Amino acid sequence: MPGANQPLRLASLPTPYLEPGAALLRTLYSEVCGTDVHLHHGKLDVPYPIIPGHVSVGVVETTGGRIKDIEGNYIKEGDVVTFLDVHETCNNCYQCLVARQPTRCPSRKVYGITYSAKDGLLGGWAEAIWLKPGVKMIKLPKELTPETFIGGGCGLVTALHAVDMAQLRLGESVAVLGVGPVGQSIVAFSSLSGAGEIIAVGAPRERLDFARRMGATAALGLDLPANSRLETVRGLTGGRGVDCVIEASGAPDAIKQGLDMVRDGGRMIVCGHYTDNGAIEINPHWHINRKHVELKGCWGSRYDHFHRSVALTARYGHLKPWAEMVSGRYPLTNADQALMAVEKQTAIKALITPNPQLTGSGKKEAGSGGMRLTG
Ligand SMILES: [Zn+2]
Ligand SMILES: [Zn+2]
């Protein structure tokens, strides 16, 4: 990605020298997420040119010496692994040590986002990915297919962080605002957490239908006016509103709508505003103070969210159709189309397949896959 709003371009980079602890992955899948669309529109301050792709799955081709995962198991050549895109969290600054908010550590680096292509193969939309020493890899357990994990992708990790913050109790009602990849996984994790009513709100209709498959008990489209949606939510919750709202839409107005939907004394988690989508007016008296509401922002994710996301998709991948969220596979030469599909919401999840000979998707070009959507 040479710069904001410029067409993508293919380039050759040198094979990295693997220092001890480093590894080279042959990429199987790298996802296209909403953040990549924002990057393409210049909405994040990054060192263009960049190689996008922050969550990926690959095969270990070579390692610099012996590498262990956090449980002491060796990572070997030929292993199918994923890795946490965030690294170099310093554990040596105010945010890490005093505030204990490592996701706000100023030293952290993120594959596919904070690195320039001039720094090397540090993004997933590439045939190979250079994992620097200290990047945390996890070997996919045998019961977890790469397609299931990458189908959830980075949305899994964000969703788990948000659902953790929501501290859902068995039987509680949840409204999930936004039915993109993050919203879909929030619905799935809420359902696995034993939530009661799970109300998905968003568009288009196909995504709402998919949210029902993930565990939503009700699905409200944006074609309904906000007032009718609010009435429906209250009707489903004894007139009180939901115990918890999790916002994953990125629409400023969803903040106000969520604060309208949450019951007195309820919680609202905001994780959809990863980029600045503008301001919204709320009424501090009615929306926050008098409501006695708890409002929390959720930024980025930690290793524990990533680790548990792998474990959860391995355990529950047969119950929740993460693999079917993939609606398009694109070779590197068609990465522009993948970005467009995510931007136009014709795909829930588009994947880049830089080595189609390894993923059996050589013949499945753009637009093929489990589920097809039209905006
Ligand atoms: Zn992402
Ligand atoms: Zn730090």
Side-chain angles (χ1 to χ4, degrees), residues 50-70:
I50 61 167
I51 304 173
H54 41 283
V55 173
S56 313
V57 174
V59 182
V60 177
E61 186 159 289
T62 20
T63 63
R66 303 189 86 182
I67 302 181
K68 289 179 183 173
D69 68 12
I70 65 152

Side-chain angles (χ1 to χ4, degrees), residues 212-271:
R212 283 187 182 274
R213 295 183 59 204
M214 284 297 210
T217 56
L220 307 177
L222 301 183
D223 46 332
L224 288 170
N227 277 347
S228 326
R229 295 199 298 268
L230 180 57
E231 254 172 52
T232 308
V233 168
R234 288 189 176 148
L236 291 166
T237 54
R240 291 180 296 273
V242 287
D243 298 305
C244 181
V245 172
I246 307 181
E247 182 281 329
S249 70
D253 199 52
I255 305 302
K256 179 179 174 299
Q257 291 171 23
L259 288 167
D260 284 333
M261 282 177 189
V262 72
R263 69 160 163 81
D264 286 9
R267 288 100 64 202
M268 176 155 171
I269 312 298
V270 175
C271 68

Side-chain angles (χ1 to χ4, degrees), residues 89-96 105-107:
T89 303
C90 76
N91 200 33
N92 196 34
C93 73
Y94 187 91
Q95 292 296 347
C96 284
C105 171
S107 302

Side-chain angles (χ1 to χ4, degrees), residues 31 33-36 54-55 154-155:
E31 72 169 332
C33 105
T35 299
D36 299 309
H54 41 283
V55 173
C154 84

Side-chain angles (χ1 to χ4, degrees), residues 184-236:
Q184 298 288 350
S185 284
I186 290 171
V187 167
F189 288 144
S190 299
S191 143
L192 292 170
S193 303
E197 207 71 60
I198 302 172
I199 307 163
V201 182
R205 178 50 52 189
E206 292 87 346
R207 289 187 175 197
L208 288 169
D209 293 343
F210 198 81
R212 283 187 182 274
R213 295 183 59 204
M214 284 297 210
T217 56
L220 307 177
L222 301 183
D223 46 332
L224 288 170
N227 277 347
S228 326
R229 295 199 298 268
L230 180 57
E231 254 172 52
T232 308
V233 168
R234 288 189 176 148
L236 291 166

